[in-house]
Amino acid sequence: MPIALQGLPDHYPYDVDVVHRGDLSETLAALLPWRPVAVVAGTEPGVGLADALSEALHPITGAPTNGTALSPARRDKYLMIERIKEQGLRGARQILVEDEDQLLNWHKKVGGRVILKPLRSAGNDGVAWCDSPDEAVRAFRHLNRRSNVLYERHDGVVAQECLVGTEYTVDTVSCDGVHQVCDIWETHRISANGVPDLTVAWRLLPATGEVQDELVAYALAVLDALGIRYGAAHAEIKMTADGPCLIEVGARIAGANLPASARLATGQSQIEWMVDAYVRPERFAQRSGGPYRLHKHVARAVMVAPQSGTLIAYHDLATIKELPSFLDMRVRVNPGDQLRQTTDDLTYPIFVTLAHEVGEVVARDLWTLRYLDGPSFYELA
């Protein structure tokens, strides 16, 4: 199993378990007796397969499909940005790295900080911030021809200008080209453990506002450019001084348990909207178009391990649980386990959900979590 998916529980009983072994016709034959009405990508490696299966099923069962024509641009981070730029949208300056000399020359021309990352990985795997051409070359040597955390070999490397600004996530569900915005999150970030832009919290925003309106208009145009007409998607966007600019789109449900958190705040999430989009399109059409309403203010936060080692204990867990907006906590690394220094989405030791009727209470508790976190929070052997 890919590293990025190890240890994740599966709470759902299935009537049948069909394993795709690389032969589309074989998988299709195994599925047809069940007359599937929709194909949903659960994780990043399933995006292309979901497109191919739904396209093959469409003339047989009528399953909605985004088709395969733009599948590569929905997974490959370089092709994705090039596609939206072709459609007249703003995208980062970038190159598909072919060799060290090309990268050196490009970085010297662009100047400043650039980012290197695998083309199709997930969870911030392999993302490198490079302030000099020599740093960029070292990052390329590390990333080139390695397998990513999804076990995709020879993934390839893209180099992009470093976009400066607040990052947001716009979660959507689409039905026959009509897009519904389900939730909008502002991310909070810190510099820690050698990572200059590490996510430490997601805070749900009201559906409308000056920033949100600009984000939504851009995000929906991106969905159109990438041919996402059906299903869930989440667009990660930087709001720069020159306006919104895409980091990347996942043509699937958002991670970090954001859909469940959105349901706490609004009463529904991408899950409910996606069910309607696929099996109750008339209901989707009747309900879509309006902004979601916040009944509670919600945030998701993570703790950041400063170093690796055998964990003896966490300090101040009781203090976290006494925060006025504390709702729940998911501990991924328990005492006795090996704690890894937090450098990406796969190495957060604890997730915390905060919810309260008053937004300022959630904001205060988010900053309190940052105060509690740090070297003294962790007792290591």
Side-chain angles (χ1 to χ4, degrees), residues 107-131:
H107 195 167
K108 289 175 182 176
K109 180 180 178 180
V110 171
R113 174 176 287 173
V114 303
I115 294 175
L116 270 67
K117 54 188 174 184
L119 291 177
R120 294 172 297 160
S121 195
N124 286 323
D125 164 52
V127 177
W129 287 261
C130 306
D131 292 319

Side-chain angles (χ1 to χ4, degrees), residues 28-289:
L28 190 64
L31 290 172
L32 279 175
W34 299 92
R35 303 295 294 177
V37 298
V39 183
V40 177
T43 59
E44 208 62 27
V47 170
L49 178 59
D51 287 342
L53 283 173
S54 62
E55 186 175 70
L57 285 167
H58 179 72
I60 304 170
T61 69
T65 183
N66 289 320
T68 57
L70 290 173
S71 276
R74 292 193 282 266
R75 276 286 284 123
D76 183 302
K77 295 174 174 58
Y78 173 78
L79 295 177
M80 181 180 295
I81 301 304
E82 291 303 299
R83 169 65 184 176
I84 68 165
K85 289 194 288 190
E86 289 171 2
Q87 298 301 301
L89 299 173
R90 184 181 174 212
R93 291 175 292 173
Q94 63 172 7
I95 58 165
L96 180 63
V97 184
E98 297 173 352
D99 56 55
E100 295 179 10
D101 288 340
Q102 173 217 26
L103 177 59
L104 275 170
N105 293 332
W106 180 81
H107 195 167
K108 289 175 182 176
K109 180 180 178 180
V110 171
R113 174 176 287 173
V114 303
I115 294 175
L116 270 67
K117 54 188 174 184
L119 291 177
R120 294 172 297 160
S121 195
N124 286 323
D125 164 52
V127 177
W129 287 261
C130 306
D131 292 319
S132 70
D134 288 341
E135 286 184 5
V137 167
R138 287 195 294 272
F140 173 63
R141 289 172 181 169
H142 171 69
L143 293 173
N144 191 33
R145 298 187 178 278
R146 96 199 225 288
S147 297
N148 64 32
V149 294
L150 299 172
Y151 281 1
E152 293 170 313
R153 303 188 63 185
H154 306 314
D155 192 9
V157 180
V158 60
Q160 297 175 335
E161 65 173 310
C162 182
L163 300 171
V164 178
T166 303
E167 186 168 325
Y168 299 86
T169 299
V170 180
D171 294 335
T172 60
V173 170
S174 304
C175 180
D176 197 20
V178 175
H179 310 302
Q180 175 65 32
V181 176
C182 306
D183 37 272
I184 303 170
W185 300 83
E186 178 183 18
T187 66
H188 296 183
R189 293 165 176 269
I190 63 172
S191 296
N193 301 337
V195 180
D197 202 32
L198 186 65
T199 303
V200 292
W202 300 259
R203 186 179 179 188
L204 184 60
L205 297 179
T208 59
E210 184 177 351
V211 171
Q212 295 95 309
D213 295 348
E214 193 170 358
L215 286 169
V216 166
Y218 177 82
L220 300 191
V222 166
L223 296 182
D224 290 337
L226 295 176
I228 299 176
R229 294 177 51 80
Y230 288 97
H234 59 282
E236 298 168 3
I237 302 168
K238 286 272 190 180
M239 183 58 82
T240 72
D242 298 318
C245 194
L246 185 68
I247 302 296
E248 61 185 71
V249 170
R252 57 177 175 83
I253 292 171
N257 209 33
L258 295 185
S261 301
R263 188 184 297 116
L264 284 171
T266 69
Q268 55 192 343
S269 72
Q270 282 184 303
I271 306 295
E272 289 79 19
W273 279 105
M274 190 168 64
V275 170
D276 279 355
Y278 282 127
V279 301
R280 296 189 290 261
E282 299 85 2
R283 187 168 187 264
F284 181 97
Q286 292 171 357
R287 297 201 305 131
S288 62

